């Protein structure tokens, strides 16, 4: 289990990184998803471009009504409270249950989102936020609504020539409610069903149901779910026509529990 | 490629293929074989080392990414006071059998002690999820950690005369 | 226990801990001889195919079977009548019989480069229909895996007690079809081999992560056509065995042949992908059990059809039939079963060859017997403890010979059960059940035959039969006691416990006892560490060697004291007469350094004794245990939480109780894995479906509860200190006890789990089947 040969580059600025990308390099951040794939030869890139030394890559910048989280921010820093406010508290709670601390110390928010494992935690949680993924490409910056960022299993809305630079999340107003539930057979395991609900005062609550070996389901208006979690969860999950009755049951429970917590 | 590492306090220059992971670098080139390899996909924790001050999987860090990093391995922590307490407790609680998971387990245990001084049994077990042991059934490991956590919570435990290192003496 | 508190019975801390805690253990992967070539194997991508050839890359060292004709096939025969032998080629010749079977050895300066070579090889094969299920393998039209056989079976065994009359007399009859999953033993360290040729000694030196260096040596010599003296096997520190490293490996033979051929050291280290996909090789059983009982729950008979998925080849040395044949002899368990009818089959499938995993067939048998007992109890409306109590062999019957001839040495089985149940608040549990909680109590009682010897094994006719275990004890000139044993310690703590045994006999401080093990050049022959035999066999042998050594020391010491030998005794590491004494250090110094002071009648063998030991009778010790579990089932997700886990255990005299607890706890954690988590599924084409530890789930710290162990101590009348083999015990009971707890929790819905592991998906499926999901 050793990787196929590859070259390594360490761009020092974003234009160099984009140039490397244009030349076919595979970007890496924490290496916690790419690393196993390299060792198993499931990924055999010719060149790896290490993004970790880019300016601002791991910087968390609180602005007036939003927080911009550099793509290179590790799960561990988020767990330890580096993101301010209620949004930070929510992210910290999620981060703590990603993998294991040694993985969280290296793995990044941006890497996880770009990798788009259907069972990954940020893939479940971030689409619920009315925020944006900030992509950087040869033409400059592009803001992609988080609800549209993940487009499929291991597929995202980034162009091949783009990098994920940051994620921008709104500071949450007083009265925001959040619910999240996931099922793992053991701590640190990728979940077998997960769901979250985010309800901001004055706007329609959003829900996400994920970890079902398919693109996360984003529900833009989850008011009905919050009103009748049990029945709505059952209805929504039935519509997915999942093949495996166990995963179907878990999905129902996940959605209901997340909704009940947020209600 | 050429790379520079600071390993257990010593600056080291190495020559390696970019694809070589840190665990192999440490083991094959620096003969630091206390860092073990159990899965090479991040799950078992046997390869855990301290990388730039925090535990990391050395099997997932390939040479290029490591250039410039500071690494501490089990061999570099022999004189560390927290590690000494842990070793003593591991031996007293029979927290190891074949010893293969032990160095990685100790790296994680040390991080738990330093980062989560108030951890209770459930938290300790949860934090150990990323280190697999096939021999002990974990009871000894959990008890050893709880003993060290408790001893450090006792008033006056900071003093250097506290009982150290039966096994390291 | 000795007054010193360091002998037999002391929870002495382990002598081996220090090096492991400092990262100074020395495992095979830590050894990298100068000039070594690393090996990566090209392995079969398919389960069943005709191999036409391999297109090798233009450059690089690649060897196929055709290049290594000096390697004979691995042949693990059995003398049991009807056994079909399979020749396992070290590298596949004309057929591929399981995914992961080695096809070619690719050598390079680094493992990565060797893997590049393997990736550049193109095997040319014609795929054949695969046999991936053991029951399908036995169908008359199944494709034949070994084409000269008439069916895909290594062996069938049977016993034909009459049961036809029972339906008329029995108060209860149940029938269950049960399955256990194929598992990977998954020690955290994989296998690994370094082979070197020493031209000076004309000797092949194989350093291998093995539990049985001497058996491996014999096997290598046999397959390579070398004298046994030309092979030395070194087993360094081994990162867990559990049976996985009790095998002669194709990889060992290939590395050995290549080291001889190339005159360079050659190393292969198994990675986790190889371990999981090429070597998932234990535990897969199918049972069709029928049991009859009277109104009180007394067993009248059991009828069992059992099939074991033995994989594609008969592994050396334990053979493909050990497990299935064992089912016939151990199914009655700790119970007084009056009639027993069975048929067992070792099925041949396109999967890796089966190996005996900790507990061997007992884990599956215990699961089948104990779940069946609970089914009977439910049908009769009696308590799970009551049905066991009425059937267990009573203490007054010991030693007890059961209907298949197993002889239980000693113990009080009902008392173990009583204590285990007493540790649970059953009334509170029943109240919770009445309140609608899905919680349950599960029990399992079993005994474990360990340390069985010649009389048991010769009938199997497998490549070895354990005889007298030997140990060497000798003083070095400074009075340090050196023990040499041919079995191996890989977590069992023998460096400590055998020192305790020596201390018990000679009084030498354990700190001054060195254990040499794991090197065939340095130790007497042994069949190795397996079958819960080390403490009984090596413990007995070390005690005997030390006793004889003590006799010799006594003669010298008495002369130095100028006292008659009869007036002197050996006490606390010295030869003593009244107030006068000579230490064993002094005795050693005299023998080696001041021979002029030796008495006339001294034993010319000096202070070096090799002694053999075998218990009499050698049918084995029977440790036993009762497991009691409280489990909570989440009806919505199927998840199972173990709330309480109690073990009452009798291992006879415990040489080191701390270490015994460690063995039991570790085994139980593995048993929890068998019960709830571990499973290597194969698809219909014989492809293994769990390639990483993220798919093949091993229990972690949160999955194993804080287990309580209570000991009973009934010494075995047949062993040196009364110790019984207990190393495997923990792994036997959990699947039975846990599934019984789950089924107790599900009982009010009429649902039952019958297949292992009892995953959340299976639990929910069981509920769905009765419309209760
Ligand atoms: C044992 C183990 C258990 C895990 N369990 C979980 C879990 O329970 N939940 C969970 O969510 N995750 C889990 N993970 C994954 C972990 O969270 C990873 O850290 C994360 O998925 C990837 O982040 P990374 O920074 O390591 O990315 P990398 O591995 O470096 O990269 C991942 C992918 O994203 C691309 N990429 C990285 N950064 C960028 C960027 N800025 N722009 C564009 N593309 C980029 C890479 O090219 C690559 O394809 C686990 C990982 C391991 C090893
Ligand atoms: S070897 Fe790195 S986590 Fe297992
Ligand atoms: S002590 Fe053997 S794996 Fe933990």
């Amino acid at each position: 289990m050793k990787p196929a040969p590859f070259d390594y580059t360490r761009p020092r600025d974003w234009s160099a990184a984009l140039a490397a990308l244009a030349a076919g390099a595979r970007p890496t951040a924490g290496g916690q998803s790419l690393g196993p794939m390299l060792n198993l030869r499931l990924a055999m890139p010719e060149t790896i471009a290490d993004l970790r030394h880019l300016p601002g890559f791991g910087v968390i910048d609180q602005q007036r009504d939003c927080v911009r989280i550099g793509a290179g921010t590790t799960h561990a820093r988020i767990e330890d409270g580096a993101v301010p406010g209620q949004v930070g508290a929510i992210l910290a709670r999620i981060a703590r249950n990603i993998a294991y601390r040694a993985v969280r110390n290296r793995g990044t928010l941006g890497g996880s989102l770009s990798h788009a494992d259907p069972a990954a935690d940020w893939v479940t949680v971030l689409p619920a936020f009315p925020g944006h993924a900030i992509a950087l490409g040869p033409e400059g910056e592009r803001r992609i609504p988080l609800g549209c960022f993940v487009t499929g299993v291991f597929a995202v809305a980034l162009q091949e020539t783009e990098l994920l630079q940051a994620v921008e999340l709104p500071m949450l107003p007083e009265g925001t409610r959040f619910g999240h539930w996931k099922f793992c057979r053991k701590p640190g395991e990728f979940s077998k069903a997960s769901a979250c609900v985010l309800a901001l005062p004055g706007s329609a609550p959003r829900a996400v149901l994920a970890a079902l070996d398919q693109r996360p389901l984003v529900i833009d208006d989850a008011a009905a779910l919050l009103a009748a979690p049990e029945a709505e969860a059952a209805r929504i999950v039935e519509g997915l026509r999942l093949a495996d009755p166990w995963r179907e049951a878990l999905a129902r429970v996940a959605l209901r529990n997340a909704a009940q917590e947020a209600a | 490629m050429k790379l520079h590492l600071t390993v257990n306090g010593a600056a080291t220059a190495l020559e390696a293929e970019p694809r070589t992971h840190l665990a192999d670098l440490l083991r094959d080139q620096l003969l630091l074989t206390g860092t073990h390899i159990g899965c090479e996909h991040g799950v078992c924790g046997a390869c855990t080392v301290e990388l730039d001050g925090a535990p990391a999987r050395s099997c997932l860090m390939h040479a290029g990414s490591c250039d410039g990093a500071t690494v501490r391995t089990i061999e570099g922590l022999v004189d560390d006071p927290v590690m000494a307490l842990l070793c003593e407790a591991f031996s007293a609680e029979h927290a190891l059998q074949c010893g293969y998971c032990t160095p990685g387990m100790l790296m994680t245990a040390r991080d738990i002690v330093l980062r989560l001084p108030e951890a209770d049994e459930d938290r300790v077990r949860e934090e150990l999820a990323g280190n697999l042991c096939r021999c002990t059934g974990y009871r000894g490991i959990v008890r050893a950690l709880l003993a060290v956590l408790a001893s450090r919570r006792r008033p006056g435990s900071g003093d250097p005369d506290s009982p150290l290192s039966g096994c390291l003496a | 226990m000795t007054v010193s508190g360091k002998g037999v019975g002391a929870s002495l801390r382990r002598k081996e801990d220090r090096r492991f805690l400092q990262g100074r253990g020395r495992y095979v992967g830590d050894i990298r001889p100068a000039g070594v070539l690393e090996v990566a194997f090209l392995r079969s991508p398919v389960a069943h195919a005709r191999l036409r050839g391999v297109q090798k890359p233009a450059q690089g060292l690649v060897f196929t079977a055709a290049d290594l004709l000096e390697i004979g096939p691995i042949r693990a025969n059995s003398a049991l009548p009807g056994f079909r032998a399979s020749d396992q080629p070290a590298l596949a010749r004309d057929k591929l019989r399981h995914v992961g079977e080695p096809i070619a050895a690719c050598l390079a300066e680094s493992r990565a480069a060797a893997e590049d070579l393997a990736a550049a090889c193109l095997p040319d094969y014609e795929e054949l229909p695969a046999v991936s299920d053991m029951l399908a393998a036995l169908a008359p039209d199944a494709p034949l895996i070994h084409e000269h056989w008439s069916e895909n079976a290594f062996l069938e065994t049977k016993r034909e007690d009459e049961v036809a009359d029972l339906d008329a007399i029995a108060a209860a009859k149940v029938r269950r079809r049960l399955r256990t999953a194929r598992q990977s033993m998954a020690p955290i360290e994989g296998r690994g081999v370094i082979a070197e040729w020493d031209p000076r000694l004309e000797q092949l030196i194989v350093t291998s992560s093995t539990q049985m260096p001497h058996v491996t040596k014999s096997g290598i010599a046999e397959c390579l056509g070398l004298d046994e003296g030309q092979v030395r096997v070194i087993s360094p520190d081994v990162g867990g065995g559990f049976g996985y490293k009790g095998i002669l490996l194709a990889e060992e033979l290939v590395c050995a042949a290549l080291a001889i051929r190339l005159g360079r050291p050659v190393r292969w280290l198994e990675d986790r992908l190889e371990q999981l996909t090429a070597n998932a090789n234990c535990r897969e059983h199918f049972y069709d059990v029928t049991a009859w009982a009277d109104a009180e729950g007394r067993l009248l008979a059991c009828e069992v059809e059992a099939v074991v998925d033995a994989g594609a080849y008969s592994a050396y040395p334990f053979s493909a039939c050990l497990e299935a044949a064992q089912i016939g002899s151990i199914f009655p368990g700790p119970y007084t079963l009056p009639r027993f009818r069975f048929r067992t089959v070792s099925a041949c499938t396109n999967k890796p060859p089966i190996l005996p995993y900790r507990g061997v067939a007992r884990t599956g048998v215990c699961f089948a017997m104990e779940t069946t007992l609970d089914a009977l109890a439910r049908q009769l409306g009696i308590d799970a403890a009551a049905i066991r109590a009425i059937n267990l062999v009573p203490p007054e019957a010991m030693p007890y010979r059961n209907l298949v001839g197993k002889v239980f040495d000693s113990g009080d089985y009902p008392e173990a059960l009583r204590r285990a149940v007493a540790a649970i608040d059953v009334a509170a549990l029943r109240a919770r059940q009445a309140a609608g909680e899905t919680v349950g109590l599960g029990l399992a009682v079993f005994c474990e035959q360990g340390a069985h010897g010649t009389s048991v094994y010769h009938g199997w006719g497998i490549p070895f039969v354990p005889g007298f275990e030997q140990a060497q004890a000798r003083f070095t000139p400074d009075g340090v006691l050196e023990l040499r044993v041919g079995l191996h310690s890989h977590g069992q703590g023998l460096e400590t416990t055998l020192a305790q045994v020596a201390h018990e006999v000679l009084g030498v401080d354990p700190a001054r006892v060195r254990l040499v093990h794991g090197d065939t050049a340095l130790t007497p022959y042994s069949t190795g560490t397996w079958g819960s035999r080390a403490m009984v066999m090596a413990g007995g042998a070390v005690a005997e060697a030390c006793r004889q050594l003590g006799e010799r020391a006594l003669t010298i010491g008495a002369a130095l004291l100028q006292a008659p030998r009869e007036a002197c005794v050996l006490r606390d590491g010295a030869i003593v007469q009244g107030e006068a004494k000579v230490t064993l250090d002094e005795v050693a110094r005299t023998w080696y350094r001041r021979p002029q002071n030796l008495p006339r009648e001294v034993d010319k063998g000096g202070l070096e004794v090799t002694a053999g030991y075998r218990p009499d009778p050698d049918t084995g010790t029977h440790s036993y245990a009762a497991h009691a579990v409280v489990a909570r089932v989440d009806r919505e997700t199927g998840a199972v939480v173990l709330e309480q886990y109690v073990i009452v255990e009798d291992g006879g005299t415990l040489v080191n109780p701390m270490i015994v607890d460690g063995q039991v706890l570790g085994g139980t954690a593995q048993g929890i894995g068998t019960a709830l988590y571990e499973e290597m599924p194969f698809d219909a084409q014989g492809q293994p479906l769990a390639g990483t530890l993220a798919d093949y789930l091993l229990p972690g710290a949160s999955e194993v509860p804080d287990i309580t162990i209570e000991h009973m101590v009934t010494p075995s009348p047949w062993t040196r200190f009364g110790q019984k083999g207990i190393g495997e015990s923990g792994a036997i009971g959990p699947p039975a006890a846990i599934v019984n707890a789950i089924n107790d929790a599900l009982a009010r819905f009429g649902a039952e789990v019958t297949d292992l592991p009892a995953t959340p998906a299976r639990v929910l499926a069981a509920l769905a089947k009765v419309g209760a999901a």
Side-chain angles (χ1 to χ4, degrees):
Chain A
M1 268 180 71
K2 309 289 180 193
F6 56 76
D7 288 332
Y8 173 83
T9 66
R10 185 180 280 192
R12 297 288 175 173
D13 58 57
W14 287 90
S15 59
L18 291 174
L21 204 61
R26 178 87 181 253
T28 188
Q32 302 301 291
S33 290
L34 190 58
M37 291 165 66
L38 290 170
N39 288 352
L40 286 157
R41 298 195 179 204
L42 295 173
M44 296 200 274
E46 267 172 31
T47 305
I48 282 183
D50 186 349
L51 308 181
R52 279 189 313 131
H53 302 266
L54 291 173
F57 191 53
V59 168
I60 297 165
D61 184 12
Q62 186 182 359
Q63 292 154 4
R64 216 168 53 81
D65 49 5
C66 71
V67 57
R68 187 183 156 111
I69 306 170
T73 304
T74 62
H75 311 320
R77 280 185 60 217
I78 296 173
E79 175 186 13
D80 294 345
V83 179
Q86 192 194 352
V87 63
I90 289 173
L91 298 191
R93 164 182 161 193
I94 300 302
R96 178 178 151 188
N97 292 304
I98 298 175
Y100 321 112
R101 181 71 185 188
V103 172
R104 298 198 287 274
N105 281 330
R106 310 299 299 183
T108 66
L109 180 81
S112 175
L113 208 53
S114 310
H115 187 56
D117 186 309
D121 290 285
W122 297 129
V123 169
T124 312
V125 171
L126 292 181
F129 283 81
H132 291 87
I134 315 293
L136 185 72
E139 272 84 57
E141 210 178 272
R142 192 159 71 92
R143 296 167 65 81
I144 306 166
L146 282 169
C148 314
F149 186 77
V150 176
T151 55
V153 174
F154 297 110
V156 294
L158 288 176
Q159 314 275 309
E160 273 183 23
T161 51
E162 284 178 327
L163 290 169
L164 179 62
Q165 203 174 25
V167 167
E168 216 176 75
L169 299 177
M171 295 311 285
L172 298 174
E174 191 85 20
T176 300
R177 282 159 300 135
F178 176 76
H180 174 258
W181 193 86
K182 70 170 176 174
F183 182 87
C184 300
R185 291 177 61 196
K186 29 186 302 200
E189 199 208 6
F190 274 104
S191 74
K192 295 288 173 281
S194 60
C196 81
V197 175
L198 183 71
L200 274 70
S203 45
R206 300 224 305 182
V208 185
L209 174 61
L212 299 172
D213 302 331
Q214 58 184 28
R215 174 176 187 263
L217 175 73
V218 181
I219 303 162
D220 285 323
D221 184 349
L225 178 67
L226 287 194
E230 186 86 55
E232 265 298 289
R235 193 190 61 79
I236 292 166
V237 170
E238 200 181 332
L240 294 174
R241 310 203 174 286
L242 299 172
D244 176 344
W246 175 57
R247 298 292 286 280
E248 187 177 20
L250 292 181
R252 243 181 352 248
V253 176
L255 201 52
R256 182 202 64 198
N257 287 359
Q260 280 174 346
E261 190 195 338
Chain B
M1 66 179 289
K2 282 197 169 29
L3 69 150
H4 296 271
L5 289 178
T6 304
V7 181
N8 297 331
T12 322
L14 298 171
E15 178 73 46
E17 284 188 284
R19 63 167 157 176
T20 309
H21 59 57
L22 178 60
D24 277 345
L25 279 176
L26 294 169
R27 292 171 48 76
D28 290 347
Q29 292 211 28
L30 302 177
L31 307 184
L32 294 170
T33 55
T35 298
H36 295 155
I37 294 176
C39 71
E40 296 179 286
H41 46 250
V43 181
C44 78
C47 69
T48 308
V49 298
E50 191 188 275
L51 182 63
D52 294 331
R57 303 299 205 218
S58 60
C59 70
L60 299 183
M61 300 308 298
H62 296 96
S65 316
C66 299
D67 189 11
T70 300
V71 182
R72 277 213 283 182
T73 68
I74 187 79
E75 292 92 342
L77 287 164
V78 167
D79 296 324
D80 177 79
V82 174
M83 200 54 109
L85 282 173
L86 282 164
C87 286
E88 165 68 16
F90 264 54
S91 186
E93 297 291 347
H94 192 27
L96 66 156
Q97 291 183 24
C98 78
Y100 198 77
C101 70
T102 308
M105 200 62 87
L106 285 169
M107 298 305 284
T108 297
R110 182 169 172 276
D111 179 58
I112 295 172
V113 169
L114 294 174
R115 189 168 51 86
L116 303 167
E118 302 301 325
D120 61 6
E121 177 172 343
D122 281 350
R123 185 68 193 267
V124 163
R125 286 182 180 271
E126 181 192 321
E127 292 286 332
L128 286 172
N131 288 77
L132 296 173
C133 173
R134 196 55 159 161
C135 298
T136 63
Y138 304 99
R139 194 179 81 174
I141 297 168
V142 171
R143 288 189 179 176
L145 253 158
L146 290 174
V148 171
L149 284 165
S151 79
R152 282 171 53 91
R153 283 197 288 260
R154 272 197 291 278
S157 66
D159 88 70
D161 296 332
S162 63
L164 283 185
S165 102
C167 61
L168 300 178
Chain C
M1 200 197 300
T2 46
V3 277
S4 67
K6 296 178 182 174
V8 168
S11 282
L12 205 64
R13 286 206 202 174
R14 298 200 323 162
K15 289 159 60 77
E16 42 273 83
D17 283 352
R18 185 175 173 200
R19 70 174 184 278
F20 295 131
L21 288 165
Q22 296 187 336
R24 294 197 186 138
R26 198 164 166 78
Y27 305 87
V28 60
D30 302 341
I31 304 167
R32 200 163 190 273
V36 74
L37 285 169
E38 305 274 359
V39 181
F41 284 93
L42 169 70
R43 292 178 180 275
S44 176
V46 294
H48 200 190
R50 207 165 302 290
L51 179 64
R52 295 204 203 89
V54 180
Q55 192 186 322
K56 298 180 188 176
Q59 273 168 5
L61 289 171
V62 175
F63 296 83
T64 61
D67 304 316
L68 292 171
L69 295 172
E70 63 268 42
I71 309 177
I74 299 171
R75 190 172 299 156
N77 277 348
S78 161
L80 292 174
F83 180 78
R84 292 191 184 88
S86 64
D87 277 355
Q88 177 183 6
L91 293 172
R93 276 172 204 275
D94 40 20
K95 261 196 105 171
L96 300 172
R97 294 192 176 88
H98 66 88
V99 171
E101 183 168 5
I103 300 175
C106 307
L107 289 78
E109 304 290 331
S110 71
R111 169 70 181 235
E115 288 186 21
D116 296 345
L117 269 181
C121 292
L122 288 176
D124 175 18
Y125 55 85
E126 176 198 337
E127 235 183 304
L128 299 169
V131 180
S132 72
D133 178 78
M134 57 181 153
L135 300 185
L138 301 173
D141 56 347
L144 288 175
I145 294 165
H146 298 278
E147 276 142 33
H148 56 291
W149 293 8
S150 56
E151 56 171 342
N152 291 319
F154 288 96
L155 182 72
E156 189 183 315
T157 62
K158 57 172 105 170
R159 170 186 170 108
E160 305 199 298
D161 286 5
E162 189 53 64
V163 291
D165 56 320
L166 286 169
D167 284 358
I169 10 178
K173 173 186 179 182
V174 296
R175 180 171 178 194
R176 291 290 181 278
R177 287 191 185 77
L178 307 153
R179 260 191 192 255
T180 65
R182 199 168 198 81
Q183 284 184 246
S184 175
M185 293 173 237
I188 305 299
E189 180 208 34
R191 292 165 173 164
V193 183
I194 303 168
E196 297 167 81
W197 179 255
D198 179 342
R200 182 179 65 89
L201 294 174
E202 296 193 355
Q203 195 180 44
L204 176 73
I205 303 171
V206 176
T207 305
S208 182
S209 182
T210 174
Q211 297 171 233
M212 35 176 63
H214 289 273
V215 172
T216 299
K217 178 190 73 165
S218 297
I220 291 174
E222 216 171 285
C223 293
L224 293 183
L226 300 170
D227 299 341
E228 293 226 7
Q230 279 179 296
V231 184
R232 172 183 179 190
V233 173
I234 299 170
S235 182
D237 282 328
V238 168
F242 320 119
Y244 190 66
K245 296 168 182 175
I247 179 178
L248 171 68
L249 293 171
E251 291 89 346
E252 279 163 338
L253 297 175
V254 172
C255 289
L258 287 169
I260 296 173
R261 179 80 71 87
L262 301 170
R264 279 180 75 170
V266 168
R267 180 170 89 155
W268 167 72
L269 301 177
E270 179 188 64
D271 64 30
R272 186 64 66 177
L273 183 67
E274 289 179 289
Q275 180 177 100
L276 289 173
T277 56
N279 291 313
N281 50 15
C282 58
R283 283 278 192 271
E284 195 174 5
H285 294 196
F286 164 82
Y287 294 89
D288 182 343
V289 186
T290 308
W292 294 261
D294 70 13
E296 272 100 59
R298 214 168 277 111
L299 281 169
L300 300 176
C302 290
E303 179 176 8
V304 179
E305 276 272 333
V307 183
V308 172
D309 188 329
Y313 299 106
S314 178
Y316 186 106
F318 289 108
S319 91
C321 66
L322 179 85
E323 196 133 338
Q326 205 183 54
I327 290 172
S329 64
I330 63 178
F331 191 89
Y335 303 108
T336 54
L337 185 66
R339 284 197 246 171
F340 181 33
R341 182 184 176 94
F342 68 78
R343 188 174 84 96
T344 77
V345 184
S346 308
C348 181
T349 61
N350 289 119
K351 290 184 192 163
I354 196 168
L355 291 184
Y357 175 30
R358 195 177 206 168
V360 199
R362 302 176 194 95
T363 304
V365 161
C366 177
F367 170 67
M369 176 55 119
E370 296 294 304
T371 51
T372 304
L373 274 179
D374 269 26
L376 273 174
R378 276 195 293 277
Q379 193 178 100
L380 286 164
I382 60 178
D383 184 66
I387 198 168
R388 288 176 171 78
I390 204 169
N391 286 298
L392 284 169
V393 173
E396 57 276 11
M398 294 290 178
Y400 175 82
R401 174 183 290 270
N402 76 1
L403 86 167
V404 293
K406 288 277 172 206
V407 187
F408 303 162
D409 47 344
S410 65
D412 187 342
Y413 300 178
E415 174 65 10
L417 171 67
R418 202 193 56 70
R419 289 197 201 182
V421 175
I424 307 275
D425 188 343
V426 180
L429 181 93
R430 298 296 172 221
R432 289 172 65 192
Q433 287 180 330
E437 273 194 72
T438 326
V439 287
L441 168 64
L443 301 174
V445 188
F446 57 91
C447 53
E448 179 201 356
Q449 183 183 22
H452 19 338
T454 315
S455 63
V456 179
Y457 270 83
H458 83 269
W460 299 77
I462 62 173
F464 74 76
V465 175
F468 287 87
E469 186 70 25
Q470 298 179 88
Q472 190 180 66
R474 65 181 205 181
F475 283 113
T476 52
D478 52 5
V480 168
L481 178 68
E482 198 177 82
L483 304 174
R484 295 177 173 230
V485 295
L487 41 62
H488 187 265
S489 180
H490 36 276
Q492 298 87 348
L494 292 177
E495 292 172 36
T496 306
T497 47
L498 292 180
Q500 288 179 257
V501 166
H503 175 75
E504 185 75 24
V505 178
L506 288 173
V508 177
D509 192 308
R512 296 202 10 117
V513 180
R514 270 170 54 79
L515 182 73
V516 177
H517 64 105
D519 188 334
T520 59
L522 302 178
T523 61
Y525 198 89
S526 167
T527 58
T529 304
W530 50 274
S532 298
R533 66 191 299 276
M535 210 51 239
V536 170
M537 301 302 293
V542 163
E544 178 56 20
C546 288
R547 187 193 65 76
Q548 292 182 24
L549 189 61
E551 292 293 325
R552 295 185 189 183
L554 191 64
T555 306
I556 298 172
L560 295 178
L561 288 171
Q562 298 182 329
R565 196 177 182 282
E566 314 75 62
C568 299
V569 289
L570 170 61
R571 189 188 309 137
D572 296 338
I575 309 301
V576 183
Q577 187 219 15
E579 296 292 285
K581 68 174 184 181
V582 189
T583 62
L584 288 172
D585 288 11
E586 192 50 38
V587 168
R589 250 191 308 278
T590 304
W591 168 263
Y592 290 104
R593 301 252 177 93
R594 296 188 210 112
Q596 65 274 22
N597 296 343
L598 289 171
R600 273 178 158 282
E601 65 281 15
V602 68
D603 189 316
K604 295 182 189 59
L607 296 178
E608 192 164 315
V609 172
T610 302
Y613 171 79
R614 185 166 99 185
D616 186 19
D618 74 345
T619 48
T621 58
H622 278 80
S623 62
Y624 58 96
H627 287 208
V629 187
V630 176
R632 188 176 69 242
V633 180
D634 183 331
R635 271 184 70 194
E636 291 191 319
T637 63
V640 174
V641 174
L642 305 180
E643 291 188 350
Q644 192 185 356
Y645 205 113
V646 177
I647 298 174
V648 179
E649 185 71 78
D650 189 343
T653 305
L654 306 182
V655 172
N656 182 321
M658 175 189 83
I659 287 177
V660 171
D661 279 1
Q663 290 295 305
V664 173
L665 291 167
T668 305
Q670 292 179 338
I672 290 171
T674 303
L676 296 174
Y677 299 100
E678 295 177 40
E679 173 172 29
M680 175 59 73
F682 285 78
D683 69 11
Q685 283 70 47
Q687 289 290 338
L689 299 178
T692 70
L693 293 179
D695 316 300
Y696 187 89
L697 296 187
L698 297 176
S702 296
E703 287 70 57
V704 183
D706 193 38
I707 296 160
T708 314
I709 304 178
E710 190 182 326
H711 289 286
M712 294 170 54
V713 176
T714 315
S716 171
W718 301 336
T719 63
R720 176 62 176 80
F721 299 101
Q723 74 273 41
K724 297 178 175 181
I726 198 170
E728 299 170 86
S729 174
I732 299 171
I738 291 168
V739 168
N740 278 340
I742 295 171
N743 287 346
D744 183 42
L746 303 185
R748 73 188 150 103
F749 308 107
E752 250 182 55
V753 173
T754 53
D755 291 0
L756 293 179
T759 57
R762 289 203 173 95
V763 171
L764 274 201
L767 282 166
K769 204 169 141 192
V770 296

